[in-house]
Amino acid sequence: MLEVKDLYSTVSGKTILNGVNLSIKPGEVHAIMGPNGSGKSTLSYTLAGKPNYIVDSGDILFEDQSIIEMLPETRAQLGIFLSFQHPLEIAGVRMDQFMRSAYNSIQKQNNNEELDVLKFNRLLKSKSEELNVDSDLIQRFVNHGFSGGERKKNEILQMAVLDPKLMILDEPDSGLDIDAVRSVADGINKLRSESKSTVIITHYQRILNYVIPDYVHIFMDGKIIQSGDKTLALQVEEKGYEIFN
Amino acid sequence: MTTKNSISESEFDDGTNVEVKDSIAKSYQYGFVTDIESETAPKGLNEDIIRFISNKKNEPDWLLEWRLKAYNHFLQLVENENIPEWANINHDPIDFQDMYYYSEPKPKKELQSLDEVDPELLATYEKLGIPIAEQKKLAGVAVDAIFDSVSIATTFKEELSKYGVVFCPLSEAVQKYPDLVQKYMGSVVPYSDNFYSALNSAVFSEGSFCYIPKGVRCPFELTTYFRINTQETGQFERTLIIAEDDSYVSYLEGCSAPMFDTNQLHAAVVELVTLNNAEIKYSTIQNWYPGDENGKGGIYNFVTKRGRCIGDNSKISWTQVETGSAITWKYPSVILQGDNSVGEFYSVALTKGHQQADTGTKMIHLGNNTRSTIISKTISADKGVGTYRGLVRINPKAENAWNFTQCDSLLIGDQCAAHTAPYVEVKNNTSHLEHEAFTSKVSEDQLFYCNQRGISSEDAHSLIINGFCKEVFTQLPLEFAVEATRLLEANLEGAVG
């Protein structure tokens, strides 16, 4: 599904990624753990193609195709979804309009049927019921006045509606109380499947109690320094990141 | 009329007038003898020109006198260097002597097919989704008989006359309905109101007149598009709309197609009057030429628009989408004189390139239980400068008056500017006022968020901008709302990214 090959990238002239290698197969869940400032979010933005996140060398292959020259919307249309650590507010644009616009852009690009308002609202309703998302949320402006928990749940709802192949979740648990963490984790688990891959970026292992990863990678100084199974996350919890220095 | 229930555009004046360089009075010495047969009066402004215009229009004496009074007032303003400079706009001094004040409307050169039209203009029409037949009409191409707008217009006129609705050029109304014109013209915007209203009153040559008789709900929207024989919009237009008791009319002005004009200065006056239980809804789309990429050559649009709710329970509603002109100076206002009368102002003003807009409204509450709503959306992109300027005045006798004001700004890019200048004067303690305002910026992060969901930057912009303007667009008649949406999208294409 995803091959990251010796990836170096810079943001405003500063090198952040220092040779990242990562290989993810369909159906797998990978956790990337690292301390603050280690470059985890830069990795997620580079994968998603945020402008100003410049790839200096290396490559990113998605389904065997290099994506580093692609616009972020093209990558999204191919099936890459990034759940933002800090989802953005868009005043004046209702969540349901926003999501329909996103959904139809992706459908159109893939030569699938675009949905009219009625059909789309039916889809949206069934997805929000599945994920226990309050239906008022989708009538409100995009993330406008949402609580931290609402924002994160909303990201999961968008992910469910857009049905991506690769789900990258940047700190899906940050700032959430335990009930909200559980509810976000339930959502992620519901969306897991044999054909989809998941990357969870986090610095606490808390959410990994609910979303069990196949692989855990320790990310420091812009690269993966150690990989293992879920027990690696427990070591971090116990001893901190210092043991890897 | 007492000063209490009148207002003037110069009320925004904060006394910062500075030196005015050119003097109009000076060139009076060049007075000329008018050749009544000529179609275009020579350049310059003087009493002879005004007599010439009035004579051409075969106007009654009272109107000529009124024009001359306006002219003398204008001269005084010029002599006293009383040219308004309080607005947040910058331009070189206007040379009022270097202008034509009268020219007979000439038929545009008719082209044989769209192939002869500037392709760039056609591309713009395409973006705006204007039907081919209309494209032809706008570009001055001969139109097929079926789509002949004149015949449509004639049908409309016949239909209107069944209801007793009068909709005709102002000059025709002066001949046919002199009493109505004399009674109401200048009753809402006196010639002495401000610098540009004085100029307009002296030299106006065309405009629209609309009269809705008692109890009539005008069966369709009146558009200037259907007003035959004045295809060229005048430089000094004057519009007067009178809604008698229990009547209603929706009036649409302008269109989204880009309008070019050789006259740089436009100074229109629009007056609306509603009697008991009457309602006027006035919608404008303004897309005059904004100038080239260096800001050269755009239209200066100095407009005085005002309505007077004379009758109880009457209502005047202004909706405007302002995307054109190099300079927009415009404050569609309502004098809420009748008890329970309602005033509304909904505005989207877009400035991009080097455009400057200083626009807003005045709601003057005189009657009891009068209500006003102001929703202003200012969008600035490139080096555009947008200013909202609004006055809400509650007079002592306006018991239980109510106002809601919302003025929002959206910035696109980092070289543009948005300002708000709300003025509030409340002279009693039974009134209720609310004010909301926010400024937001289309940020790169917002765009990336949309992109990451599969939405292209262009679609993301239109999503955000339409969201921002929605409260105003919903006030427009449906067709106009679609045009307005496309217009904003077309205008912002390339301005953002």
Side-chain angles (χ1 to χ4, degrees):
Chain A
M1 174 85 61
L2 183 76
E3 281 302 321
V4 179
K5 290 182 173 169
D6 207 24
L7 187 68
Y8 284 79
S9 81
T10 47
V11 185
S12 0
K14 206 177 152 197
T15 303
I16 309 284
L17 299 186
N18 278 309
V20 179
N21 286 288
L22 182 64
S23 175
I24 300 174
K25 293 191 179 64
E28 291 178 352
V29 176
H30 289 239
I32 294 176
M33 300 184 71
N36 289 330
S38 58
K40 301 187 303 294
S41 287
T42 299
L43 175 62
S44 70
Y45 285 149
T46 308
L47 293 175
K50 187 169 181 178
N52 307 325
Y53 284 66
I54 296 152
V55 172
D56 293 323
S57 66
D59 206 349
I60 305 166
L61 302 181
F62 180 69
E63 297 189 311
D64 304 320
Q65 190 184 2
S66 174
I67 59 168
I68 55 174
E69 297 293 332
M70 290 179 184
L71 290 170
E73 55 267 39
T74 314
R75 301 182 198 202
Q77 288 155 359
L78 289 175
I80 297 175
F81 183 96
L82 171 62
S83 163
F84 282 56
Q85 184 184 355
H86 302 292
L88 279 293
E89 280 187 19
I90 307 175
V93 178
R94 267 169 48 165
M95 207 63 232
D96 49 357
Q97 293 171 325
F98 175 74
M99 276 200 251
R100 191 166 84 91
S101 174
Y103 181 86
N104 281 340
S105 301
I106 294 172
Q107 292 290 98
K108 190 178 173 186
Q109 207 55 45
N110 292 292
N111 296 316
N112 291 328
E113 188 202 357
E114 294 179 54
L115 297 186
D116 61 29
V117 177
L118 288 178
K119 281 185 184 162
F120 181 77
N121 285 353
R122 230 171 283 149
L123 171 76
L124 192 53
K125 190 161 176 260
S126 79
K127 294 290 180 191
S128 23
E129 278 168 7
E130 229 170 274
L131 296 169
N132 292 317
V133 174
D134 196 345
S135 58
D136 315 339
L137 220 57
I138 56 182
Q139 308 269 342
R140 280 159 59 185
F141 294 154
V142 177
N143 294 315
H144 192 74
F146 284 25
S147 70
E150 285 172 334
R151 285 181 189 220
K152 301 281 186 179
K153 272 197 207 173
N154 194 270
E155 295 288 287
I156 306 297
L157 174 63
Q158 292 179 50
M159 199 159 82
V161 170
L162 301 182
D163 196 28
K165 294 172 187 161
L166 174 64
M167 308 184 279
I168 305 165
L169 299 120
D170 190 1
E171 310 258 359
D173 56 339
S174 65
L176 300 191
D177 62 35
I178 192 69
D179 294 330
V181 171
R182 204 174 291 161
S183 138
V184 164
D186 282 349
I188 298 170
N189 284 328
K190 277 182 187 150
L191 299 178
R192 285 175 68 168
S193 82
E194 286 298 304
S195 60
K196 290 174 193 287
S197 311
T198 310
V199 178
I200 297 177
I201 293 170
T202 179
H203 55 259
Y204 297 118
Q205 76 89 39
R206 190 171 62 159
I207 192 163
L208 304 179
N209 290 331
Y210 306 101
V211 184
I212 312 295
D214 300 306
Y215 299 93
V216 174
H217 308 279
I218 304 302
F219 198 87
M220 285 175 87
D221 303 322
K223 61 185 172 207
I224 290 168
I225 55 159
Q226 194 172 336
S227 299
D229 62 10
K230 61 180 179 185
T231 56
L232 194 56
L234 297 169
Q235 273 186 48
V236 171
E237 167 109 319
E238 207 176 308
K239 298 179 182 150
Y241 289 106
E242 281 170 18
I243 57 162
F244 301 103
N245 276 330
Chain B
M1 205 191 313
T2 67
T3 37
K4 262 186 190 171
N5 62 7
S6 70
I7 50 170
S8 140
E9 229 66 324
S10 46
E11 275 183 283
F12 286 131
D13 199 340
D14 55 5
T16 54
N17 281 343
V18 287
E19 180 195 348
V20 177
K21 289 184 185 92
D22 51 315
S23 165
I24 286 157
K26 231 189 273 172
S27 57
Y28 201 96
Q29 52 185 309
Y30 306 119
F32 69 106
V33 182
T34 307
D35 171 9
I36 202 80
E37 297 306 316
S38 80
E39 294 197 327
T40 300
K43 274 184 180 177
L45 179 61
N46 55 51
E47 209 172 299
D48 291 338
I49 288 277
I50 291 161
R51 288 181 189 281
F52 173 79
I53 296 170
S54 190
N55 200 338
K56 271 275 180 194
K57 302 264 169 197
N58 194 23
E59 285 175 352
D61 291 345
W62 66 264
L63 191 48
L64 173 62
E65 274 162 32
W66 192 71
R67 283 177 183 276
L68 291 173
K69 273 190 213 159
Y71 173 64
N72 285 322
H73 184 75
F74 180 74
L75 282 186
Q76 260 175 26
L77 291 175
V78 171
E79 255 163 47
N80 300 333
E81 303 195 342
N82 215 349
I83 296 177
E85 302 209 345
W86 40 262
N88 188 22
I89 52 175
N90 284 303
H91 58 85
D92 292 335
I94 299 166
D95 185 351
F96 293 94
Q97 292 303 347
D98 190 31
M99 268 183 222
Y100 292 103
Y101 287 90
Y102 185 83
S103 71
E104 208 116 278
K106 277 187 225 101
K108 285 185 188 168
K109 187 184 158 228
E110 199 159 87
L111 307 174
Q112 290 314 306
S113 82
L114 279 177
D115 300 340
E116 296 170 45
V117 178
D118 179 5
E120 207 168 304
L121 194 62
L122 288 183
T124 315
Y125 289 163
E126 208 60 47
K127 270 181 227 155
L128 294 168
I130 295 171
I132 294 288
E134 240 172 284
Q135 290 188 20
K136 286 184 174 177
K137 185 176 151 48
L138 291 165
V141 175
V143 186
D144 309 343
I146 313 167
F147 295 109
D148 186 349
S149 63
V150 174
S151 64
I152 298 171
T154 312
T155 318
F156 268 70
K157 272 208 149 176
E158 280 168 11
E159 193 69 19
L160 285 177
S161 65
K162 275 192 218 160
Y163 293 86
V165 173
V166 177
F167 184 36
C168 67
L170 186 59
S171 54
E172 192 180 318
V174 169
Q175 306 301 324
K176 288 188 180 165
Y177 316 98
D179 295 348
L180 278 173
V181 177
Q182 190 171 12
K183 182 170 176 190
Y184 290 110
M185 198 165 76
S187 72
V188 186
V189 180
Y191 65 77
S192 56
D193 187 78
N194 68 73
F195 189 79
Y196 296 100
S197 69
L199 178 63
N200 175 290
S201 304
V203 301
F204 74 91
S205 50
E206 208 34 274
S208 301
F209 175 81
C210 176
Y211 176 79
I212 318 295
K214 194 171 169 179
V216 170
R217 241 191 111 78
C218 187
F220 25 71
E221 269 131 9
L222 297 184
T223 74
T224 41
Y225 183 82
F226 289 119
R227 200 191 60 208
I228 0 168
N229 85 349
T230 47
Q231 293 300 325
E232 285 249 335
T233 314
Q235 191 180 6
F236 301 102
E237 279 222 316
R238 196 157 183 117
T239 300
L240 174 60
I241 302 176
I242 302 156
E244 287 279 8
D245 289 356
D246 308 301
S247 69
Y248 167 84
V249 65
S250 167
Y251 187 92
L252 312 183
E253 171 198 54
C255 79
S256 60
M259 299 287 275
F260 293 89
D261 196 306
T262 46
N263 300 314
Q264 188 168 38
L265 175 69
H266 278 241
V269 170
V270 175
E271 295 177 283
L272 312 182
V273 172
T274 50
L275 299 173
N276 288 330
N277 310 310
E279 177 177 349
I280 298 176
K281 186 173 167 60
Y282 193 107
S283 313
T284 305
I285 290 188
Q286 185 266 114
N287 192 23
W288 291 100
Y289 182 55
D292 65 13
E293 59 270 34
N294 300 314
K296 288 250 151 52
I299 302 282
Y300 293 177
N301 198 21
F302 294 90
V303 190
T304 308
K305 287 184 166 175
R306 194 173 303 153
R308 184 183 282 271
C309 289
I310 295 178
D312 292 347
N313 312 310
S314 65
K315 178 175 173 182
I316 288 176
S317 179
W318 298 101
T319 306
Q320 62 174 21
V321 178
E322 301 283 324
T323 60
S325 298
I327 292 175
T328 300
W329 180 99
K330 183 180 172 190
Y331 316 92
S333 302
V334 185
I335 302 170
L336 297 150
Q337 188 176 336
D339 287 348
N340 313 313
S341 58
V342 176
E344 292 175 340
F345 174 74
Y346 299 97
S347 168
V348 169
L350 167 73
T351 53
K352 68 173 199 324
H354 289 76
Q355 285 177 286
Q356 310 173 62
D358 193 303
T359 184
T361 185
K362 285 180 278 191
M363 294 293 175
I364 308 301
H365 292 255
L366 305 174
N368 292 327
N369 309 312
T370 45
R371 298 167 68 85
S372 62
T373 303
I374 298 170
I375 308 233
S376 162
K377 305 278 179 174
T378 306
I379 304 171
S380 310
D382 302 332
K383 292 182 175 161
V385 180
T387 302
Y388 164 79
R389 189 180 303 278
L391 168 68
V392 177
R393 177 187 295 159
I394 315 272
N395 272 36
K397 286 181 180 162
E399 294 282 331
N400 303 311
W402 183 93
N403 165 265
F404 174 76
T405 299
Q406 184 181 338
C407 41
D408 300 334
S409 313
L410 183 69
L411 303 172
I412 300 170
D414 48 17
Q415 289 183 295
C416 56
H419 306 273
T420 54
Y423 303 66
V424 176
E425 292 171 21
V426 182
K427 306 234 170 81
N428 68 30
N429 54 16
T430 59
S431 297
H432 181 87
L433 284 90
E434 283 176 57
H435 186 98
E436 283 180 17
F438 76 78
T439 301
S440 52
K441 199 174 171 215
V442 180
S443 67
E444 285 182 3
D445 284 348
Q446 272 178 331
L447 283 183
F448 174 62
Y449 188 62
C450 295
N451 293 156
Q452 211 299 308
R453 298 301 182 250
I455 304 170
S456 68
S457 295
E458 209 180 316
D459 290 350
H461 272 112
S462 68
L463 198 67
I464 293 169
I465 286 152
N466 284 320
F468 181 74
C469 301
K470 195 161 50 196
E471 290 147 294
V472 175
F473 286 174
T474 53
Q475 297 298 325
L476 289 169
L478 188 62
E479 269 180 56
F480 241 37
V482 174
E483 272 190 45
T485 306
R486 289 203 182 115
L487 179 62
L488 280 193
E489 284 170 9
N491 262 304
L492 283 168
E493 203 170 275
V496 287

